Amino acid sequence: MSLHESLLGVLLVPAASAAREPLARASAQAGVRVVETPEQATIGLVDLTAPEGSSALSALLATPAGAQLSLVALVEPTEAAFAALESLKPAEVMTAGSASYELAWRLRRVAERHRERQELMRRQQDLSLLVELTADYAESLDVEALLHDVTRRLAERLGIGRAALVMLDRNGEGARVVAASDAPGLEDTRIDLERYPEVREAARTGRSVIVEDASNHPLLEGVQNEVAARGIHTLAALPLHIRGEVRGVLLLRASGGDRRTFAQHELDFLNTVAHATAVALRNASLLQSVRGQTEREMSARIAAEAKAASLETYHLFFANVREGVAILDDRACVLSLNPAGESILETPSEAAYGRHLVEVTHPLDETVLMELVTAARRGESRSDVDLMVRAPGGRRLTLSFSAGPLEDGRRAIILSFRDVTQARQLADELHHTKDFLERLIDSSVDAIVSADMRGHVILFNKGAEALFGYTAQQALGGMHVNQLYPPGVARSIMRQLRSPDFGGRGRLSVCRQDVVNRLGQLVPVNMTASIIYEGGREVASVGIFTDLRDRMELERKLSDVENRLEESEKNAVIVALAGTAAHELNQPLTSVMGYAELLKRRLKEEDSSYKPVDIIYREAERMAEIVRKIGRITRYETKAYMGSQQILDLDKASSHDD
């Protein structure tokens, strides 16, 4: 399968929508491909802003393939447009005019959810098949027909040409095929292991053998022509471990047309099936052994029953303990079951008598229970082994089993068990809650620090690492909260927490504070804090810190901008006023200077009026120079005048030098 073929398809509705070009850009970013038919698509981008959008959507939903699409709706940013989506229930919604990167992001989210659903469906299918196989193994008495049915269903599930079960001879020199998916009537067929090197390798190593290119793999050297003639491309051989030995191999073969390889989740599933098959084959062997039991085994059973009868002295004790207690013979069949055990297993003691422990408890993993019993047979004691079982009503319980020999030198077994279903569920819920809270705290942008009442840090999130500069490992390694504050501040905060005046007893409202980072620098923060109580007793304190450095820097920049703006406005007013004054004064000054010069020409220097006229003329020129300076004012510059007063400095204000 090519990369292009593996990408999810997105269909544009209507096809002539103006969103086609943005979709082309966004699809590449989102890892999807644009397709033209509903059958090729997984996602539908519906442009409801287009005139024919609604009718095209109705036509799409009327088709079987279109009704299965995950829809991304493109709508106008109006209340009516969003109200119309109530019945459609799209996976994602975008408003018209959104950028292509937003579309790419939403397509990626829809694609991820689709893949998650597909993965969940696949797991459910695997689990369903595994449950069916396990149930069949537990119930069927026709082993040969069952094994063929298993191989057939495996081949169908994986889409391969052949699945077969190969059993090995005790001496390891030969093997026989006991079931194959493509041969319903197959009985034991001998095979030469020289022609099946993958089976031989799995038996030798006890590990799964995967061959992805059979025609060129070195393991198959010598049989490659035969493999190529059969069109085989991929092989998988999974060993069946029975009583610590590889007694069989689950063999799967696929041609190039079926598949190119086995995915990891498929190999995990196959390993589970192989394990279940090995257990079923072992149980079949045990059943045959029971059917052909010897007189010695019967005698051992009678002796175990006699030993159970000798425990009559303890009957009153067993009848009143809260744990279930069962006495088993050497074949793990029930000899006695106390009232608590009857209640837990929902089975009367009379109905349990003589039945195998597996038939009474219905464990989901029979192997674990039988290993516990086997250890007790060897004289070993095991305790607190959790195992899930099925009650007769179908309810699942988690039981904690303990087992041991009835008495040293005896083969009878005493098994105790108690219902821990609620306790384990509660533990799981607490574990999930703890994980969620830890992720929530770590994802907080603010620093969160908690300490015990001796001041030792017990919680230090990633926000705290960024603010203080310490790693969580360093902080939790014995750091005291005093290191995070200036001297005396930690004690002051605790006094405020215990006072009712700063937000209530045990709480500290938001306040401005300085903390000390790893470099010894003071960092301004907003902080809140509280004391954690257990039964009215102080057990810890927690503080939440918001770094103010970026905010204060932004405020400083805003202040500078405001100052510059104020200065600019002041300069603009001065320049406008100066221009107006210069314009208005120029005309009367020109007249004064003109008439003064005319009077000077008519008077002689010895005339008494000449000197005053000359003074008028020179002062008018001086005023004209002042007016020219006013006209050249470009900025606001002042100088001291009569003490603390400030006046405009014309020379600096009218200078063009920076």
Side-chain angles (χ1 to χ4, degrees):
M1 180 181 293
S2 68
L3 177 62
H4 181 70
E5 291 172 337
S6 66
L7 297 179
L8 298 182
V10 55
L11 175 70
L12 179 61
V13 180
S17 167
R20 180 168 292 278
E21 184 176 346
L23 176 60
R25 294 193 300 268
S27 61
Q29 300 173 22
V32 299
R33 60 191 179 99
V34 181
V35 298
E36 301 302 329
T37 63
E39 290 73 20
Q40 299 172 297
T42 303
I43 305 169
L45 176 60
V46 183
D47 185 1
L48 296 177
T49 66
E52 64 275 22
S54 297
S55 58
L57 173 60
S58 299
L60 175 68
L61 296 179
T63 64
Q68 300 300 317
L69 298 182
S70 296
L71 300 181
V72 178
L74 183 63
V75 300
E76 296 290 352
T78 64
E79 182 177 356
F82 276 85
L85 297 176
E86 288 296 330
S87 59
L88 184 59
K89 292 182 172 55
E92 289 287 345
V93 179
M94 291 180 57
T95 56
S98 299
S100 61
Y101 62 80
E102 180 182 349
L103 176 57
W105 184 84
R106 295 186 183 278
L107 290 175
R108 193 180 299 114
R109 283 193 60 190
V110 175
E112 288 172 356
R113 289 199 293 268
H114 173 78
R115 293 189 180 98
E116 290 172 357
R117 288 196 300 272
Q118 293 296 107
E119 176 66 13
L120 180 60
M121 290 175 59
R122 181 194 61 72
R123 290 183 179 180
Q124 289 176 337
Q125 291 173 353
D126 287 349
L127 181 59
S128 176
L129 179 56
L130 187 59
V131 169
E132 291 176 8
L133 294 178
T134 304
D136 289 346
Y137 281 148
E139 297 172 2
S140 178
L141 297 178
D142 189 345
V143 177
E144 290 77 10
L146 173 62
L147 292 178
H148 165 71
D149 189 53
V150 169
T151 57
R152 177 187 61 77
R153 283 194 278 184
L154 279 179
E156 292 176 354
R157 173 70 181 84
L158 299 173
I160 58 176
R162 181 180 176 89
L165 184 62
V166 179
M167 299 303 296
L168 304 173
D169 293 345
R170 287 278 186 181
N171 57 19
E173 296 179 357
R176 51 198 171 85
V177 180
V178 298
S181 60
D182 54 353
L186 178 70
E187 297 183 356
D188 289 359
T189 302
R190 302 292 301 178
I191 61 172
D192 182 3
L193 287 180
E194 293 298 324
R195 296 175 54 223
Y196 293 83
E198 69 278 14
V199 174
R200 189 173 65 245
E201 182 68 10
R204 183 184 69 82
T205 64
R207 298 178 180 178
S208 299
V209 176
I210 310 299
V211 178
E212 295 187 350
D213 186 0
S215 60
N216 296 309
H217 200 283
L219 178 65
L220 303 181
E221 185 176 358
V223 296
Q224 289 171 335
N225 291 337
E226 181 179 350
V227 169
R230 295 182 180 181
I232 299 170
H233 182 274
T234 305
L235 292 168
L238 297 93
L240 305 181
H241 295 272
I242 302 176
R243 293 194 180 96
E245 298 180 77
V246 179
R247 298 298 310 281
V249 173
L250 182 60
L251 180 61
L252 301 105
R253 291 181 168 185
S255 65
D258 296 333
R259 57 170 62 239
R260 306 301 293 178
T261 185
F262 290 103
Q264 184 58 48
H265 68 82
E266 293 174 325
L267 294 176
D268 294 340
F269 171 70
L270 289 171
N271 276 308
T272 304
V273 172
H275 177 71
T277 303
V279 171
L281 292 173
R282 185 197 65 186
N283 290 343
S285 175
L286 288 174
L287 180 61
Q288 292 175 356
S289 298
V290 170
R291 289 173 177 171
Q293 63 184 343
T294 63
E295 187 64 29
R296 180 183 58 80
E297 292 170 330
M298 182 63 72
S299 299
R301 173 179 173 81
I302 295 172
E305 291 176 353
K307 182 61 181 178
S310 70
L311 290 175
E312 191 65 28
T313 307
Y314 302 101
H315 175 75
L316 184 61
F317 170 75
F318 289 149
N320 289 279
V321 295
R322 297 178 62 183
E323 290 190 357
V325 178
I327 307 299
L328 312 177
D329 64 14
D330 65 310
R331 296 183 299 108
C333 292
V334 177
L335 298 176
S336 175
L337 184 65
N338 75 335
E342 294 178 347
S343 175
I344 293 172
L345 299 177
E346 300 179 13
T347 303
S349 179
E350 296 79 8
Y353 180 79
R355 294 171 61 192
H356 194 275
L357 177 62
V358 171
E359 298 177 4
V360 177
T361 58
H362 304 288
L364 268 63
D365 190 344
E366 175 189 336
T367 305
V368 175
L369 184 60
M370 294 310 298
E371 287 176 354
L372 187 70
V373 172
T374 302
R377 283 180 184 149
R378 295 195 300 265
E380 302 174 6
S381 295
R382 300 282 177 87
S383 60
D384 299 327
V385 177
D386 284 1
L387 184 62
M388 189 172 289
V389 303
R390 288 190 298 267
R395 186 166 57 97
R396 293 191 177 188
L397 305 173
T398 300
L399 303 183
S400 179
F401 287 91
S402 298
L406 191 62
E407 186 179 293
D408 293 341
R410 303 283 185 174
R411 300 185 65 186
I413 299 163
I414 183 168
L415 181 77
S416 65
F417 49 92
R418 52 194 173 89
D419 188 351
V420 294
T421 306
Q422 291 185 347
R424 298 299 181 261
Q425 289 175 347
L426 180 59
D428 288 342
E429 290 174 4
L430 290 175
H431 178 72
H432 292 321
T433 301
K434 177 177 177 292
D435 287 346
F436 172 76
L437 291 176
E438 287 178 349
R439 291 195 299 271
L440 180 64
I441 291 171
D442 257 350
S443 64
S444 172
V445 176
D446 291 334
I448 302 177
V449 180
S450 182
D452 60 25
M453 297 314 296
R454 291 178 297 175
H456 296 128
V457 175
I458 57 176
L459 186 149
F460 203 78
N461 75 336
K462 293 188 182 300
E465 290 181 340
L467 177 64
F468 292 101
Y470 299 99
T471 65
Q473 184 177 6
Q474 292 171 330
L476 300 178
M479 176 183 287
H480 198 278
V481 288
N482 286 339
Q483 295 177 240
L484 306 178
Y485 297 98
V489 172
R491 290 183 178 274
S492 174
I493 291 174
M494 287 306 298
R495 284 195 297 271
Q496 294 176 12
L497 279 170
R498 293 186 174 109
S499 169
D501 302 328
F502 299 92
R505 192 176 301 277
R507 296 176 61 85
L508 178 63
S509 299
V510 178
C511 64
R512 171 73 169 76
Q513 188 57 265
D514 287 335
V515 295
V516 181
N517 67 10
R518 187 169 179 267
L519 301 177
Q521 300 168 334
L522 291 179
V523 180
V525 298
N526 273 344
M527 73 166 290
T528 60
S530 61
I531 295 177
I532 300 173
Y533 297 92
E534 282 187 4
R537 182 173 62 91
E538 296 179 353
V539 294
S541 62
V542 60
I544 302 176
F545 307 85
T546 303
D547 192 342
L548 296 180
R549 286 176 292 186
D550 290 342
R551 185 185 303 176
M552 293 177 67
E553 177 64 18
L554 179 60
E555 290 174 354
R556 186 190 63 78
K557 291 180 178 179
L558 287 174
S559 178
D560 290 345
V561 170
E562 288 176 355
N563 290 337
R564 288 197 296 271
L565 180 60
E566 182 180 349
E567 189 69 24
S568 175
E569 290 175 348
K570 188 183 295 183
N571 286 340
V573 171
I574 292 297
V575 170
L577 179 60
T580 302
H583 176 73
E584 295 297 331
L585 291 174
N586 264 333
Q587 290 182 356
L589 276 176
T590 302
S591 298
V592 171
M593 289 177 65
Y595 282 111
E597 186 176 4
L598 181 61
L599 287 173
K600 280 180 66 177
R601 289 180 180 177
R602 291 183 178 182
L603 296 173
K604 295 181 180 180
E605 291 186 7
E606 58 270 17
D607 291 341
S608 60
S609 299
Y610 182 84
K611 187 175 181 179
V613 171
D614 183 55
I615 291 173
I616 291 173
Y617 179 77
R618 282 187 285 107
E619 290 301 319
E621 278 190 331
R622 183 183 169 195
M623 290 179 65
E625 179 59 28
I626 292 172
V627 169
R628 283 193 293 272
K629 287 183 178 180
I630 291 174
R632 293 198 300 270
I633 288 176
T634 58
R635 60 181 181 270
Y636 181 71
E637 293 284 350
T638 63
K639 62 182 179 179
Y641 177 73
M642 293 183 67
S644 61
Q645 294 186 5
Q646 297 287 321
I647 64 172
L648 189 67
D649 189 335
L650 283 177
D651 291 330
K652 291 183 178 180
S654 61
S655 173
H656 293 288
D657 297 332
D658 292 336

